[in-house]
Amino acid sequence: MALRQRLDSQIIIIGCGISGVAAAQRLFKSGFRNVRILEATARSGGRIKTGRMGNNIIEIGANWIHGPSEENPVFCLARHYGLLEPAALTPENQALEIEGHPPWLPNWFSSSGQKLSAEDMTPAMDLFAELLDESSDFESQGGEPFASVGEYIRAQAPLRAAERWKDEDASTRALRLCLITNMLKVECCVNGTPTMDQLGLGAFGMYKCLPGLDCTFPGGYEGIIKNLMSELPSDLVTYRRPVCCVHWNGTERGGNPVTVECVDGERIAADHVIVTVPLGYLKKHHSTLFRPPLPLHKMHSIQRIGFGTNNKIFVEFDSPWWDADCEVIYLVWDDEENMVDQVSDIQRSWIKKMFGFTVLKPSERYGHVLCGWIAGHESEYMETLPEQEVTHTVTQLIRRFTGNPTITPRKILRSQWFQDPWTCGSYSYPGRGCSAQDLDNLREPLPAQGTQSQPLQVLFAGEATHSCYYSTVHGALLSGWREADRLVAHYASISPSEPHRSKL
Ligand code: 6YU
């Protein structure tokens, strides 16, 4: 009986990002047949989005496999499909413990047009890494001296700087504090937070890093989506079909546990719905997306978990102005000793939030292309500007930091994740006061356990629902598998003597 029900159960997945695709894959493998994905846009992949800039493949969304090693399912799938370069597959690469921060070779430039020396900058990089490391420890200590990572670093850095760098001249000490400000902006991008003052200190350590040196997909990240989709039925996904309401608890006529209402008016009956829409979308639309509304504790957690913007600005040059071995460029403003990571006048100074660039490698493949990174409200403002203005501002910035007034980018292309109506930002982070309970609440299915209604009507997947790999592709993928497994376990637990109330 359970097997028959499993085969017949109607399951709708909302969203065709990696979590939705993963859920579908696992359900089909487990014997479910009536599975359908409704996707708002005309494509699969969601925040995995590969684009082109001239002849170059560029990633508009996810960039790296974070921690490519045996425990990372994205790595294992990418290896299985032959999507990675040999260097990424070596045991040495998989064994590297980088704790989320690849050991890239940097160049530093200051706003007065100077190239800064590693000797002057490395002590500040080390101090920052130490403070970030300590910030992760508060999660297991059960208490936090400050509400946010930003406040902790701002309190500790000057004390340690005064002690450690007392023999340095004042200008070197000041410049090192400016670099700490720059590193705070880097972390805004890494964590997808508008300011490190919004990143909860007690929850920061919830994120877990896997071993392995981050790697990219030479043919584009979307390759993993295409390969997964090729193993699924070709009519699985209905594109351009945004969902506007999930009616649960049998509130719609017809007696189905759930009815999914689409923007075009179509109403689809289902036994189970897996919601994979991004947290940014949920924050904006949860009050209309669910009938009856979500339980209060879930709504509060949706508010407490953060969802921020991190955008890329790709810039192509005729020739490089950075060192041949350089992998990352940090732009240090020499008036930013205060360790404040938000600009006060966004309209005039939004560009100050861009920490610098990563270098697209190898140059034989990409030519001379940099990827600028900018997070926060400054990034959201940048999205509203005409491309010409972004180009002008970036050009002025590079000329100022290099002291070379002739450098002219050949082409610029930027992402606009905040304006994307189906994403409303980039990825999630644990906000101030956030705890593991909030992530539990977010992924808790509806109706809550213990009620009399049919169980598992609405399930929740997506990167923001993963307890320790939130904000990543592997976290999203695992969340899709998790919710599919929840349904598999549910049907496996139904015994013939306890008839399940499914009508289908
Ligand atoms: C990673 C990386 N990476 C850069 C940038 C971005 C992200 N991530 P999806 O949104 O994919 O799918 C939902 C679908 O739902 C979508 O198709 C919608 O159209 C659809 N939808 C919405 N509403 C709907 C409706 N009403 N009806 C129907 N459909 C609807 N991750 O592993 N490596 O390098 C980066 C990066 C610019 C924007 C990233 C990266 C995040 C991933 O892209 C993301 O988690 C998953 O793709 C999400 O998949 P999904 O299925 O959940 O949603 C130490 C420490 C600190 C902690 N953090 C460290 C980690 C750092 C993360 N770094 C990321 C960095 C970059 C550069």
Side-chain angles (χ1 to χ4, degrees), residues 248-323:
W248 57 288
N249 250 355
T251 45
E252 282 273 284
R253 273 172 294 151
N256 301 295
V258 196
T259 303
V260 174
E261 182 185 347
C262 300
V263 169
D264 65 5
E266 192 188 353
R267 288 174 128 78
I268 306 164
D271 291 296
H272 311 282
V273 174
I274 305 181
V275 176
T276 78
V277 302
L279 177 64
Y281 183 88
L282 263 190
K283 279 178 180 281
K284 207 168 166 183
H285 299 287
H286 71 79
S287 63
T288 50
L289 191 61
F290 299 97
R291 280 285 168 273
L294 296 175
L296 260 183
H297 65 284
K298 208 186 214 8
M299 282 199 233
H300 286 150
S301 292
I302 288 174
Q303 281 157 6
R304 261 195 300 272
I305 306 170
F307 193 82
T309 303
N310 178 22
N311 274 310
K312 307 178 183 184
I313 307 178
F314 294 97
V315 196
E316 186 178 3
F317 300 89
D318 288 326
S319 54
W321 45 268
W322 52 94
D323 293 346

Side-chain angles (χ1 to χ4, degrees), residues 14-20 38-41 45-48 60-64 66 99 101 190-191 204 207 209 221 241-243 276-278 281 310 312 373 417 422 426-427 462-463 471-474 476:
I14 305 177
C16 196
I18 187 86
S19 60
L38 302 176
E39 166 54 46
T41 68
R47 283 170 275 171
I48 295 178
I60 314 285
N63 225 76
W64 296 282
H66 291 307
E99 289 304 314
H101 292 88
V190 170
N191 292 279
F204 184 59
Y207 183 83
C209 294
Y221 222 128
R241 189 62 61 90
V243 167
T276 78
V277 302
Y281 183 88
N310 178 22
K312 307 178 183 184
W373 295 87
W417 284 104
W422 311 110
S426 299
Y427 39 89
E463 56 85 10
S471 77
T472 67
V473 173
H474 54 285

